[in-house]
Amino acid sequence: MFEEGKGELLSSCTADEIRDWNRNNKDRGLVDKMTTVRSAVEKYVKDGTYLAIGGFGHIRISMPLIYEIVRHRIKHLQISGHTAVHDLDVLIAGDCVDAVDVAYAFAYETRGLSRNGRRAVESGKIKCVEWTNASLSWRIKAAAMGLPFLPARNLLGSDTFRYSAAKEMECPFTGQKLVALPALMPDVSIIHVHYADKYGNCSIRGTTVKDDDLAKASKRVIVTAERIVPDTFFRNDPERTTIPYFCVDAVIEAPHGSHPGNMPHEYYFDEEHIRDYLKAGADDGSLKDYLDKWVYSVNDFDEYLDLVGTKKLNELRRLEELR
Amino acid sequence: MFEEGKGELLSSCTADEIRDWNRNNKDRGLVDKMTTVRSAVEKYVKDGTYLAIGGFGHIRISMPLIYEIVRHRIKHLQISGHTAVHDLDVLIAGDCVDAVDVAYAFAYETRGLSRNGRRAVESGKIKCVEWTNASLSWRIKAAAMGLPFLPARNLLGSDTFRYSAAKEMECPFTGQKLVALPALMPDVSIIHVHYADKYGNCSIRGTTVKDDDLAKASKRVIVTAERIVPDTFFRNDPERTTIPYFCVDAVIEAPHGSHPGNMPHEYYFDEEHIRDYLKAGADDGSLKDYLDKWVYSVNDFDEYLDLVGTKKLNELRRLEELR
Amino acid sequence: MTSYTSIELMATVASHQLEDGKIVGVGTGLPMIASLLAQKTHAPKLIIFFEAGSMAPQVPTLPISVGDSRCAHKAVAATGLAGIMETGQRGMIDYAFLGGAEVDMYGNINSTVIGGHDSPKVRLPGSGGANDFGSLSWRTIIIAMHNKAKLPERVSFITTPGYIDGPGAREEAGLPRGTGPFRVITNLALMGFDEETCRMKLISVHPGVTVDQVRENTGFDLIIPDDVTISPAPTDEELARLKDIDPDGIIIGK
Amino acid sequence: MTSYTSIELMATVASHQLEDGKIVGVGTGLPMIASLLAQKTHAPKLIIFFEAGSMAPQVPTLPISVGDSRCAHKAVAATGLAGIMETGQRGMIDYAFLGGAEVDMYGNINSTVIGGHDSPKVRLPGSGGANDFGSLSWRTIIIAMHNKAKLPERVSFITTPGYIDGPGAREEAGLPRGTGPFRVITNLALMGFDEETCRMKLISVHPGVTVDQVRENTGFDLIIPDDVTISPAPTDEELARLKDIDPDGIIIGK
């Protein structure tokens, strides 16, 4: 009677498993969590990790962590692709990805499709399970709420549903048909924010996309921040805390950390860089050259920013501020 | 097999009814919604209205609207009582209330029980359906999300459940037992906030309790605000918008609007006033005297504040600021 | 007579479909341009929602992404995907404004794959917020290119459901009642949907386009009523505003 | 020997039950006092949540309400009821710290009515956040007065479920596994729960109280093991901190 999607549930958990994880693994204390990109990736990101990335694919993404994952040649990642753009594409370029829960992926919005991403799917290298931006957000919200599922009214009547791992269900009160979305608890999420303190309290300016829920839903949360601030920044104005400290496992200071992506109120897209990257995506050879130059040949994100150059960084700030 | 609470569902709606109401009755435009307490109550609050009140019972409550409802001798209200304290008690004193969805009511926290509230229930005048603070919040959240219900893991195994209108259900993925909480769409909600613009955008400092969801869930929303600010207050910093304008139907400027309740960052409780009120609650006669003095004999909230006096108001500000 | 491109015409015709004072959930590309144009012409009080969380922004210059900082500029509220789509789920979003690689006669949209799902000929981006906006908003406006391949009888993959396979199918599937596709704007024509059959129906052909041309370029039996009109050409005012919105022709120039 | 009141003793014994570095969801009244005392003595890194939405505040002076501005003072985050209880639902709240008018041998709490629900002898406030904290937190600590009426065999109304009617009952009811009542602090004794039977069990009697007194004032067959100890009296340091917390004796003086 009730249909269900035939897509694979890439990451599953019961509500009691969510609770047990949180009881046993999340530190409640106000402890200093400052670390480095390298240590955080080595500690938390493994072959086969189910990874979710904060922001909106090319807006407010944590490029220091993404580059480090590529540099560490992590394999077989499964990715939550709620508007995945440059974040996912670089991981695919680095051959890190096996499967994607796709809401939006393999494309760059107004810039068109990504040849690199398409090639990986069309060659069968990457497995796709279909979702939508809202259904992935609600799956994450379910885990954040400690629930095994959330009901919703989208997805129904579509092939997106048929290639998802959702199920139909009935409302216990009204009898109406609803879609049930299974909770998603990523192994690791990486989130770039505007402000963080050393304990992990975070504040995001502009749209949150789903990062408040993502931080609550994930087993491990690594945060990179444009600026590290004292905890009084949050305690004096606790409404501005987007993510409370106890969700966060590691904090790294990373100014310009979303480059070449946009960081609201800080800097706009580096369109030249993205154009060159997309051009390199035409074939695996050019892509290897790109990665050699920007990822493998630099030791860390500071060296990467030196390659970008101060002039460009200043220009992107002016662009963001509409000057 | 699945149990259900035998309490009456005081206010019910299907998801499509929520949608139809919002389509047909909520203005999407940025229009000036400034009005007076009197006009707002006359327009929206009727005998039999299901009413929800923002804040936390004696913190950030809209006393101008509550007094006006009493002054208008509105009858047969049904109330959402998620930590209802002085807000509900004054409405009971004014003989406005027939039924309460109780999470917490008829009491004043550390100050003890309310004789007025107890009398009304123990005499059979007021009908009680049992809920909890979280389950009422989640019922409101369901309506705010456009869902006919939300699942949860509280309530189960209690008499609170048996005297509620919740049902047991099974998770479509894990088979585990959950409680299903029916959506609650109040007819009217009244919410006191720190800042509002004339369109209805609102910002709350301190805990939101459930007012962000409540504004989205309610058929009509009347807002009183400590301060009216230009819309640039929100547009320059859109993260601080607790309630977006399109949820709100009427906006009223009301400094000191939570008196004798607490307003975080503005003024603390007027304990003397509350003590006198609770003393008056000992019998109906004294309560009538209280209402005569503070509600029926004054024309509006400005006159009420004149009775309170500037000296007292200044004292409550100093108290709040720990000076 | 002022000269204009096919894309400019699609943008102006599309913008006309939006009502002033309503809320529209806007997808990336041409829908963005057409919504901004509506605000600068006949619908100054049109409220735009972008799926990443922005409500009623004052977009200062052409965005690259529906989630970038231009799309949240001077918004009245900055929320997230759930915040936007829950607002839609409770019936507050009047129009969904979407693009699609394929659109069929029931207004179903494919933006996921061409060819089989598991071994696709072309992998497209997927739903993004399209299925959400299209399922939860009251009326869906779709922009597509007009040829037999792009307007097939049946899309090969329903990313975003239209009327699925006919009258009552949306409600039966569990989608909110009273919702569905409203208009389709292509490079050749403006189309709506027949109330009785839920099938796509011609409303107007663009200037210089014949009904036969439209018929020949449609992959299904398009309903052609007697009262087909001619779409209005862009006015000088509209063309000037389009230049303001996209001075470098990033989308309009495509 | 320093003199102290019964309420002061309950506060200190209660505070000892809280572990440093854990999260506790705190109800109104004595639980508030005991949690603040724990922070000022053995558990400076104890994290307090208040149900109205405050996380990890630095409470500057005695609050009147768990939702007032003192309870949100210098918090790390200001959310709402759902924000707090969802954090509990996903297993992040270690202790619920509650009061109750009646507590029975399985740790079920009544704070709703004495007498029949629909024609009560005494109407009490109801659950508030107690059912939520008690259902969703890992361990529940309860403060109550000790006499046969307040500690009956079966509460007349289960506002907040303890072990309901014995082993496995919570899990069978659908409540999160591994949760339940942990300690009961009264004016006479400190009690826990027997792991096998889930029934209330004496841990220590307060100074000057005999086991017989406890037994006589309990409305059910309390498990009395051989190793019953004597609760430690409040230290001078603890009494001084209690005075700091509640200088006017608003709660402590009751």
Side-chain angles (χ1 to χ4, degrees):
Chain A
M1 154 129 204
F2 289 115
E3 283 186 50
E4 48 183 278
K6 62 183 183 185
E8 186 185 338
L9 190 54
L10 295 178
S11 173
S12 74
C13 58
T14 68
D16 277 323
E17 284 166 3
I18 293 173
R19 290 179 58 84
D20 289 345
W21 176 271
N22 284 324
R23 180 180 206 178
N24 298 324
N25 298 285
K26 299 300 276 193
D27 201 323
R28 278 86 162 124
L30 286 154
V31 296
D32 187 336
K33 295 168 187 161
M34 295 301 300
T35 183
T36 63
V37 159
R38 183 163 305 170
S39 302
V41 168
E42 280 174 4
K43 188 160 179 194
Y44 295 119
V45 186
K46 313 286 176 197
D47 287 359
T49 286
Y50 188 103
L51 180 75
I53 302 166
F56 199 71
H58 45 150
I59 296 103
R60 205 170 43 67
I61 47 176
S62 180
M63 290 312 296
L65 286 165
I66 289 167
Y67 290 139
E68 192 67 22
I69 290 168
V70 171
R71 205 152 31 226
H72 268 68
R73 300 182 193 272
I74 308 274
K75 301 291 169 200
H76 314 304
L77 294 179
Q78 307 192 93
I79 307 279
S80 170
H82 51 275
T83 299
V85 183
H86 193 61
D87 49 357
L88 173 62
D89 215 79
V90 171
L91 290 173
I92 292 174
D95 197 22
C96 306
V97 181
D98 273 11
V100 181
D101 276 326
V102 182
Y104 179 102
F106 322 119
Y108 275 69
E109 298 199 57
T110 53
R111 303 181 199 98
L113 300 177
S114 154
R115 278 183 278 189
N116 167 50
R118 278 186 58 189
R119 201 162 49 234
V121 181
E122 291 163 16
S123 70
K125 201 157 112 185
I126 287 181
K127 177 167 60 184
C128 294
V129 184
E130 303 300 322
W131 300 94
T132 72
N133 272 339
S135 53
L136 273 187
S137 298
W138 287 325
R139 289 187 61 198
I140 288 164
K141 192 171 185 164
M145 292 175 73
L147 294 172
F149 84 100
L150 268 178
R153 307 194 69 192
N154 61 340
L155 270 188
L156 298 158
S158 70
D159 290 317
T160 312
F161 172 82
R162 261 168 224 112
Y163 287 87
S164 77
K167 293 185 178 189
E168 291 180 351
M169 68 168 293
E170 203 174 58
C171 171
F173 296 95
T174 62
Q176 77 165 105
K177 202 189 282 179
L178 297 164
V179 71
L181 304 168
L184 171 58
M185 189 185 206
D187 293 322
V188 177
S189 71
I190 59 180
I191 305 177
H192 190 61
V193 304
H194 291 79
Y195 304 99
D197 69 15
K198 64 182 175 182
Y199 306 121
N201 292 302
C202 299
S203 180
I204 290 171
R205 297 189 67 192
T207 56
T208 52
V209 189
K210 38 102 243 328
D211 298 356
D212 44 353
D213 285 328
L214 182 58
K216 295 170 190 161
S218 301
K219 288 186 179 173
R220 295 295 181 193
V221 176
I222 311 173
V223 161
T224 53
E226 289 287 325
R227 281 175 195 77
I228 301 297
V229 293
D231 68 338
T232 49
F233 178 91
F234 300 96
R235 290 199 181 271
N236 289 339
D237 204 1
E239 303 82 24
R240 68 162 99 196
T241 307
T242 315
I243 300 170
Y245 74 94
F246 51 80
C247 297
V248 174
D249 297 280
V251 181
I252 300 137
E253 184 167 15
H256 305 287
S258 186
H259 180 276
N262 172 211
M263 185 70 180
H265 300 279
E266 300 287 337
Y267 41 89
Y268 203 55
F269 297 108
D270 185 342
E271 278 304 294
E272 199 183 347
H273 190 106
I274 294 173
R275 189 163 50 239
D276 289 348
Y277 172 84
L278 284 173
K279 219 157 112 192
D283 63 88
D284 285 338
S286 317
L287 211 48
K288 193 185 163 300
D289 293 345
Y290 174 92
L291 293 179
D292 276 344
K293 175 175 175 187
W294 294 99
V295 185
Y296 297 126
S297 302
V298 297
N299 283 304
D300 57 28
F301 197 67
D302 286 351
E303 285 187 27
Y304 166 91
L305 289 177
D306 286 343
L307 275 186
V308 176
T310 305
K311 189 176 169 216
K312 170 65 82 171
L313 294 175
N314 288 339
E315 190 186 310
L316 300 176
R317 174 136 321 182
R318 284 195 296 274
L319 205 54
E320 175 64 13
E321 293 172 352
L322 300 163
R323 289 190 278 142
Chain B
M1 153 131 205
F2 289 115
E3 283 186 50
E4 49 184 278
K6 62 183 182 186
E8 187 185 336
L9 190 54
L10 294 178
S11 174
S12 75
C13 58
T14 69
D16 277 324
E17 284 166 2
I18 293 172
R19 290 180 58 84
D20 289 346
W21 175 273
N22 283 325
R23 180 181 205 176
N24 298 323
N25 298 284
K26 297 301 275 191
D27 201 323
R28 278 84 163 129
L30 286 155
V31 296
D32 188 336
K33 293 168 189 162
M34 295 301 300
T35 184
T36 62
V37 159
R38 182 162 305 171
S39 302
V41 167
E42 281 174 2
K43 189 161 178 190
Y44 295 120
V45 187
K46 312 289 177 196
D47 286 1
T49 286
Y50 188 103
L51 181 74
I53 302 166
F56 199 70
H58 44 153
I59 295 102
R60 205 169 44 66
I61 47 177
S62 181
M63 290 312 296
L65 287 164
I66 289 166
Y67 291 138
E68 193 66 23
I69 289 169
V70 172
R71 205 152 32 226
H72 268 68
R73 300 182 193 273
I74 309 274
K75 302 289 171 203
H76 313 305
L77 294 179
Q78 307 192 94
I79 307 280
S80 170
H82 50 276
T83 300
V85 184
H86 193 62
D87 48 356
L88 172 62
D89 214 79
V90 171
L91 291 173
I92 292 174
D95 196 24
C96 306
V97 182
D98 273 11
V100 182
D101 275 327
V102 182
Y104 179 101
F106 322 119
Y108 275 70
E109 297 198 58
T110 52
R111 305 183 198 96
L113 299 177
S114 154
R115 278 183 277 190
N116 166 52
R118 277 187 58 189
R119 201 160 52 235
V121 180
E122 290 164 16
S123 70
K125 202 158 110 184
I126 287 181
K127 177 168 61 183
C128 295
V129 184
E130 303 300 323
W131 300 94
T132 72
N133 272 339
S135 54
L136 273 186
S137 298
W138 287 326
R139 290 187 60 199
I140 288 163
K141 191 170 186 167
M145 291 175 74
L147 295 172
F149 85 100
L150 269 179
R153 307 194 69 192
N154 61 339
L155 271 187
L156 297 158
S158 70
D159 290 316
T160 313
F161 171 82
R162 262 169 222 110
Y163 287 87
S164 78
K167 294 185 177 187
E168 290 180 352
M169 67 167 295
E170 202 173 60
C171 171
F173 296 94
T174 61
Q176 77 164 105
K177 203 190 281 180
L178 297 163
V179 71
L181 304 167
L184 171 58
M185 189 186 204
D187 294 323
V188 177
S189 72
I190 60 181
I191 304 177
H192 190 61
V193 303
H194 291 80
Y195 303 100
D197 70 15
K198 63 182 176 182
Y199 306 120
N201 291 303
C202 299
S203 180
I204 291 172
R205 297 188 68 193
T207 56
T208 52
V209 189
K210 40 105 245 323
D211 298 356
D212 45 351
D213 285 328
L214 182 59
K216 295 171 190 160
S218 302
K219 288 186 179 172
R220 296 296 181 191
V221 176
I222 312 174
V223 161
T224 53
E226 289 287 324
R227 282 175 193 76
I228 301 297
V229 293
D231 68 336
T232 47
F233 178 91
F234 300 96
R235 290 197 182 273
N236 289 340
D237 205 1
E239 303 82 24
R240 67 162 100 197
T241 307
T242 315
I243 300 171
Y245 74 94
F246 51 81
C247 296
V248 174
D249 296 280
V251 181
I252 299 137
E253 185 167 14
H256 305 286
S258 186
H259 180 275
N262 171 213
M263 185 69 180
H265 300 279
E266 299 287 337
Y267 43 89
Y268 203 54
F269 296 108
D270 186 343
E271 279 303 295
E272 199 183 348
H273 190 106
I274 293 173
R275 188 161 51 238
D276 290 348
Y277 172 84
L278 282 173
K279 217 157 112 192
D283 63 87
D284 285 339
S286 318
L287 211 48
K288 196 188 161 298
D289 293 344
Y290 174 91
L291 293 179
D292 276 344
K293 175 174 176 189
W294 293 99
V295 185
Y296 297 127
S297 301
V298 296
N299 283 305
D300 57 27
F301 197 68
D302 285 351
E303 286 187 26
Y304 166 92
L305 288 178
D306 286 343
L307 275 186
V308 176
T310 305
K311 191 178 167 217
K312 170 66 83 174
L313 294 176
N314 288 340
E315 190 187 310
L316 300 176
R317 174 136 321 180
R318 283 195 298 274
L319 206 55
E320 173 65 12
E321 293 172 354
L322 300 164
R323 289 191 279 139
Chain C
M1 188 182 167
T2 322
S3 83
Y4 55 85
T5 68
S6 175
I7 297 285
E8 283 168 330
L9 177 63
M10 287 171 78
T12 58
V13 172
S15 82
H16 300 162
Q17 311 311 315
L18 294 166
E19 266 176 288
D20 202 16
K22 298 288 185 181
I23 296 177
V24 58
V26 173
T28 203
L30 214 41
M32 202 148 68
I33 298 272
S35 303
L36 296 176
L37 179 61
Q39 282 186 330
K40 286 178 190 292
T41 54
H42 72 283
K45 290 173 178 170
L46 178 71
I47 302 295
I48 296 180
F49 279 13
F50 289 111
E51 62 194 64
S54 157
M55 295 175 166
Q58 296 171 335
V59 179
T61 177
L62 186 69
I64 290 171
S65 160
V66 290
D68 78 22
S69 42
R70 275 68 171 118
C71 282
H73 189 78
K74 303 283 178 195
V76 302
T79 67
L81 288 163
I84 293 294
M85 296 309 178
E86 288 161 15
T87 307
Q89 195 160 251
R90 69 175 194 272
M92 286 297 294
I93 302 185
D94 300 293
Y95 293 98
F97 202 166
L98 308 173
E102 291 182 343
V103 183
D104 69 21
M105 67 178 180
Y106 289 116
N108 301 303
I109 306 173
N110 176 15
S111 56
T112 302
V113 280
I114 308 291
H117 177 270
D118 297 336
S119 50
K121 195 165 150 271
V122 183
R123 174 68 214 197
L124 300 167
S127 158
N131 176 294
D132 312 320
F133 274 138
S135 297
L136 304 174
S137 306
W138 290 103
R139 292 170 154 187
T140 300
I141 302 172
I142 307 161
I143 296 187
M145 295 309 288
H146 208 136
N147 61 51
K148 280 181 188 260
K150 302 267 183 188
L151 298 186
E153 187 160 330
R154 200 85 174 91
V155 290
S156 54
F157 190 100
I158 301 182
T159 307
T160 302
Y163 294 106
I164 309 177
D165 56 7
R170 275 179 82 88
E171 289 74 10
E172 203 180 315
L175 292 170
R177 72 176 175 218
T179 58
F182 174 63
R183 293 286 183 267
V184 179
I185 298 107
T186 70
N187 48 321
L188 298 182
L190 168 68
M191 287 155 291
F193 291 85
D194 181 61
E195 281 195 20
E196 211 164 307
T197 63
C198 291
R199 284 180 47 191
M200 209 187 291
K201 174 178 89 171
L202 189 59
I203 293 174
S204 67
V205 292
H206 295 343
V209 177
T210 66
V211 170
D212 276 349
Q213 264 178 289
V214 170
R215 201 191 325 252
E216 281 161 23
N217 282 284
T218 305
F220 54 86
D221 194 8
L222 184 67
I223 298 176
I224 302 189
D226 294 336
D227 57 351
V228 171
T229 58
I230 295 173
S231 317
T235 65
D236 289 346
E237 172 68 16
E238 285 174 323
L239 291 171
R241 293 295 79 76
L242 276 176
K243 275 271 177 303
D244 295 343
I245 294 166
D246 185 9
D248 302 328
I250 290 170
I251 293 166
I252 288 298
K254 269 187 185 168
Chain D
M1 189 179 165
T2 319
S3 83
Y4 54 85
T5 67
S6 175
I7 298 284
E8 283 168 331
L9 177 64
M10 287 170 79
T12 57
V13 172
S15 81
H16 300 163
Q17 311 312 314
L18 294 165
E19 267 176 286
D20 201 17
K22 298 288 186 183
I23 296 176
V24 58
V26 174
T28 204
L30 213 41
M32 203 149 66
I33 298 272
S35 303
L36 296 176
L37 178 63
Q39 283 186 330
K40 287 179 191 292
T41 54
H42 72 282
K45 290 175 177 169
L46 178 71
I47 302 294
I48 296 180
F49 279 13
F50 290 111
E51 63 193 66
S54 157
M55 294 174 166
Q58 295 170 336
V59 179
T61 177
L62 187 68
I64 290 170
S65 161
V66 288
D68 78 21
S69 41
R70 276 65 169 120
C71 282
H73 188 77
K74 305 283 180 195
V76 301
T79 67
L81 288 164
I84 294 293
M85 296 307 178
E86 287 161 15
T87 307
Q89 195 159 249
R90 69 174 192 273
M92 285 298 292
I93 303 185
D94 300 293
Y95 293 97
F97 202 167
L98 308 173
E102 291 181 344
V103 183
D104 69 19
M105 67 177 179
Y106 289 116
N108 301 303
I109 306 173
N110 177 15
S111 57
T112 302
V113 281
I114 307 290
H117 178 269
D118 297 336
S119 51
K121 194 164 150 273
V122 184
R123 173 69 213 197
L124 299 167
S127 158
N131 176 293
D132 313 320
F133 274 138
S135 298
L136 305 173
S137 305
W138 291 105
R139 292 171 155 186
T140 299
I141 301 171
I142 308 163
I143 296 189
M145 295 309 288
H146 210 136
N147 61 51
K148 280 181 188 264
K150 302 265 183 190
L151 297 186
E153 187 160 329
R154 200 87 174 90
V155 291
S156 55
F157 190 100
I158 301 182
T159 307
T160 302
Y163 293 106
I164 309 177
D165 56 7
R170 274 179 82 89
E171 289 72 11
E172 202 180 316
L175 292 171
R177 72 175 175 217
T179 57
F182 174 61
R183 292 287 183 267
V184 179
I185 297 106
T186 70
N187 47 320
L188 298 183
L190 168 68
M191 287 156 289
F193 291 85
D194 180 60
E195 279 195 21
E196 211 164 305
T197 64
C198 290
R199 285 179 47 191
M200 208 185 292
K201 174 178 88 170
L202 189 60
I203 293 175
S204 67
V205 293
H206 294 345
V209 177
T210 66
V211 169
D212 275 350
Q213 264 179 289
V214 170
R215 200 192 324 254
E216 280 160 22
N217 283 283
T218 304
F220 53 86
D221 193 11
L222 183 68
I223 299 177
I224 302 191
D226 295 336
D227 57 350
V228 171
T229 59
I230 295 174
S231 318
T235 64
D236 289 345
E237 170 68 16
E238 285 174 325
L239 291 171
R241 294 294 80 75
L242 276 175
K243 275 270 176 302
D244 295 342
I245 293 167
D246 185 8
D248 303 327
I250 291 172
I251 292 166
I252 287 297
K254 271 191 183 166

